[in-house]
Amino acid sequence: MTLTIAGLQHHGVPGDVEANLALVADAARQASDRGADLLVTPEMFITGYNLGDRLAPLATPELVDRVAAIAAGTGIAILAGLPEPLPGGAVANAIVLIGPDGSELLRYRKTHLFGELDRELFVAGDTLAPTVDLGGVRVAVLICYDVEFPETVRAAALDGADVVIVPTAQMEPYAHIAERLIPVRAWENQVHLVYVNRVGSEGDLTYVGRSSIVGPDGVVLDALDADAVGLMIATIDPEATKRARQENPYLADRRAELYRGTPSLLPSPSESPDSPGK
């Protein structure tokens, strides 16, 4: 089994939920027509990200239902970035994975908040998401800054992920994350990595674009440049993941007993039944 993923790189319309949902619906139709099984949006795409006080009123439970309706109507799974309302008026920076039938498969709250912007707007999640099966491919998710911590991608790899999908809102001056760090994360963990960013400006932020889909050997399968608006598409093949882990056996050659005394997000090998080398 394989999974063809389309990533939407776009500026969106900050603060305009209806316009952004329309963009997602159009992208879903285009992605489906091009043979994709899953459409991925950037971080916080449904509402916009850098909205300040305008964000909280837009964070409603119906946003997930609206995305689910698009997925069911177009017959393609969607991973969408949106705000999740929490008790007491708090908001989480979240993503939801909706199946092609409109069912919710996964919800994740960003665990690593970046700078004052994130901390003023959001409450951090307190757990990494488990891998889920989508069309026979094991999928893990992170959000933006999460991927910049090596432990998060390693935890996904140890949990048997074939692909780690990362909606992001990466801004200047951090283009080097998109250009250099993302291929390294794929290589060092032998996982496919899908990094889906915004373009354009939003408030005082200028987004760097440069979305990419990288294979488990670190080779870029598809990418968009700094200013492009549109879809990138590539197929995730679990057999490629297996081959990469045979040819570059970092996971099997780990000496986990040397790392156990170090504070870490990683599960021990005994807690990860799918760890290679067991």
Side-chain angles (χ1 to χ4, degrees):
M1 302 292 290
T2 61
L3 182 72
T4 300
I5 298 178
L8 172 65
Q9 180 169 287
H10 205 283
H11 45 71
V13 184
D16 191 334
V17 170
E18 294 302 323
N20 293 324
L21 287 168
L23 288 169
V24 172
D26 183 60
R29 288 188 289 268
Q30 291 185 44
S32 180
D33 288 345
R34 294 175 62 179
D37 305 298
L38 170 65
L39 171 70
V40 182
T41 81
E43 178 181 10
M44 291 292 294
F45 188 76
I46 302 302
T47 56
Y49 172 53
N50 186 25
L51 298 181
D53 294 340
R54 293 186 294 155
L55 177 62
L58 298 176
T60 64
E62 299 85 69
L63 296 179
V64 175
D65 296 334
R66 300 289 299 278
V67 174
I70 294 171
T74 55
I76 186 173
I78 299 175
L79 179 65
L82 46 74
E84 179 186 2
L86 301 175
V91 176
N93 182 333
I95 49 179
V96 291
L97 176 60
I98 305 294
D101 61 353
S103 62
E104 183 175 326
L105 304 179
L106 178 70
R107 188 179 301 209
Y108 170 68
R109 299 170 182 167
K110 187 176 185 179
T111 50
H112 298 76
L113 299 183
F114 178 76
E116 292 184 7
L117 173 59
D118 263 2
R119 295 187 179 96
E120 288 175 356
L121 292 176
F122 305 113
V123 173
D126 58 8
T127 183
L128 295 177
T131 59
V132 296
D133 185 280
L134 185 62
V137 175
R138 296 195 68 174
V139 174
V141 298
L142 297 168
I143 300 175
C144 197
Y145 193 41
D146 292 332
V147 78
E148 298 177 37
F149 295 83
E151 296 92 344
T152 60
V153 184
R154 180 55 52 86
L158 292 175
D159 199 32
D162 295 303
V163 58
V164 179
I165 305 176
V166 189
T168 188
Q170 187 63 271
M171 72 289 286
E172 294 289 358
Y174 304 111
H176 63 281
I177 300 297
E179 293 173 341
R180 297 195 287 276
L181 181 68
I182 296 308
V184 169
R185 284 286 176 270
W187 164 260
E188 69 189 1
N189 292 288
Q190 299 84 60
V191 292
H192 297 80
L193 207 152
V194 179
Y195 191 72
V196 182
N197 198 16
R198 292 174 170 271
V199 291
S201 298
E202 189 182 35
D204 58 353
L205 301 182
T206 299
Y207 298 112
V208 303
R210 298 172 173 87
S211 299
S212 65
I213 301 175
V214 184
D217 54 1
V219 174
V220 175
L221 303 177
D222 198 6
L224 296 167
D225 65 23
D227 301 312
V229 170
L231 297 175
M232 59 177 183
I233 297 182
T235 297
I236 307 306
D237 184 356
E239 291 301 316
T241 309
K242 292 178 183 177
R243 288 194 300 272
R245 290 177 179 172
Q246 293 169 351
E247 295 167 1
N248 179 27
Y250 283 163
L251 299 184
D253 289 347
R254 291 171 65 248
R255 293 190 58 193
E257 73 278 7
L258 301 180
Y259 321 139
R260 287 195 177 113
T262 302
S264 174
L265 297 177
L266 300 180
S268 68
S270 64
E271 294 169 338
S272 182
D274 295 300
S275 277
K278 284 179 64 71

